[in-house]
Amino acid sequence: MTTAPRTRLSPDERRSQLLDLGVRLFATRSLSEISIDLLAETAGISRGLLYHYFGGLAGFQEAVVRRAAADLIARTAPPSEGDVLERLLVSVRAYVEYVDENYEGYLSLVTGAKSGNESLRAIYDEARAALTDRIFSSDTDHLLDDTPAMRLVVRGWSALAEEMVIDWKAGGGVTRDELVGLIAGALPALAGAVPSEG
Amino acid sequence: MTTAPRTRLSPDERRSQLLDLGVRLFATRSLSEISIDLLAETAGISRGLLYHYFGGLAGFQEAVVRRAAADLIARTAPPSEGDVLERLLVSVRAYVEYVDENYEGYLSLVTGAKSGNESLRAIYDEARAALTDRIFSSDTDHLLDDTPAMRLVVRGWSALAEEMVIDWKAGGGVTRDELVGLIAGALPALAGAVPSEG
């Protein structure tokens, strides 16, 4: 183990480095556990530094959650080519892997958003809208008609996916691959059950 | 308008009367709005009375939520006879109507349960387990195999139903009957997409 040479970081680089650290901590800890003390202990980050870059602990926590949500959206981007169901499967697999690897943080985002924390709620809603809107914009095979009923069903499907991953983490019962197959298979099944308009 | 003659109620009757009032208030108000002041203003109920019957406001609120959850379970009981899909439709219609009519209270139960309030969480989990377990026990036509995968999917479906009703209340887009059809139709579609075992 060698110590990396100290280099002078730009403010943007320093800020980004702090965020990377926050996201790593957030994988195995709830948001409320990311305290000033923890940051001081694990990374020698002082209260003053947090104020300087994020206006305080709350600002840091919010920036971490925002970064984590952006990571989730990036990691679960479906491939641009290929069969629509295969692309869906790739995206759902990435989602399940993300939640599996970042469970504590993910759960605290979901819990925080639903408990009436307005900042978390906004980040959560934006992330979910990005994830579901993408399904319609990337649906070049027109698996889903863009109707109010189908939009409602796709939002329902995203709640189903979230519930199933969280339940699975708590209780198992099926393999991770089976879980991925169940969630991915649910969307075309649900879409097929929506009456067509007109 | 006449005043009903004052009759001497038994303690159980009095307690039940207070709960009925709480459930009515809960239909159009969140749990946190059911305050000592509100109870005093709308029904002349004193702090002392609440302590006597429920040990205080928190005990009263919890009893109200417990009663509301029991009402939901009773109202959405599927008919014992008939085609399995028809019974499912009747049950889902009752669920959607219940949420529609008791929206503020329902939303505060969901929000409270997900925010880490342990008492609300327990009531919510019990109610949801009762609703989903009933699906398996009343499934005399064996629409659903009782496997870990199917249990997971049915829990996912209940999250989908909840999300769809709450979204619908916020944004509309389809009629209530269409919503009922979408939620009820989702379950057999999801069940059909679960690979059979063995």
Side-chain angles (χ1 to χ4, degrees), chain B residues 56-165:
Chain B
L57 181 62
F60 179 66
Q61 290 178 335
E62 192 180 319
V64 166
V65 173
R66 207 172 276 286
R67 166 74 76 94
D71 284 353
L72 172 61
I73 292 169
R75 277 187 50 176
T76 59
S80 54
E81 304 269 303
D83 173 68
V84 63
L85 295 177
E86 181 56 30
R87 283 185 285 137
L88 177 63
L89 198 65
V90 169
S91 180
V92 169
R93 179 172 295 122
Y95 168 71
V96 169
E97 285 173 0
Y98 181 88
V99 179
D100 200 11
E101 290 163 15
N102 298 274
Y103 185 62
E104 292 305 324
Y106 181 80
L107 198 61
S108 76
L109 169 59
V110 171
T111 304
K114 293 187 177 171
S115 72
N117 178 319
E118 291 302 323
S119 310
L120 290 185
R121 177 90 221 173
I123 297 170
Y124 177 85
D125 283 347
E126 272 171 41
R128 191 181 254 192
L131 293 168
T132 55
D133 287 352
R134 189 167 63 190
I135 288 173
F136 286 97
S137 64
S138 71
D139 177 24
T140 47
D141 299 15
H142 303 289
L143 177 68
L144 314 169
D145 298 330
D146 195 349
T147 62
M150 197 66 88
R151 290 261 168 189
L152 202 53
V153 165
V154 169
R155 281 188 66 93
W157 174 74
S158 73
L160 166 142
E162 187 178 279
E163 175 75 21
M164 284 177 67
V165 181

Side-chain angles (χ1 to χ4, degrees), chain A residues 110-112 114-116 128 148-149 152-153 155-160 163-164 167-168 172-174 179 182 185-186 189-190 193-195, chain B residues 110-112 114-116 128 148-149 152-153 155-160 163-164 167-168 172-174 179 182 185-186 189-190 193-195:
Chain A
V110 172
T111 305
K114 293 186 177 171
S115 72
R128 192 182 253 192
L152 202 54
V153 165
R155 281 188 66 93
W157 174 73
S158 73
L160 167 141
E163 175 75 21
M164 285 177 66
D167 265 25
W168 171 77
V174 301
L179 177 70
L182 289 171
L190 289 166
V194 175
Chain B
V110 171
T111 304
K114 293 187 177 171
S115 72
R128 191 181 254 192
L152 202 53
V153 165
R155 281 188 66 93
W157 174 74
S158 73
L160 166 142
E163 175 75 21
M164 284 177 67
D167 264 24
W168 171 77
V174 301
L179 177 70
L182 289 171
L190 289 167
V194 175

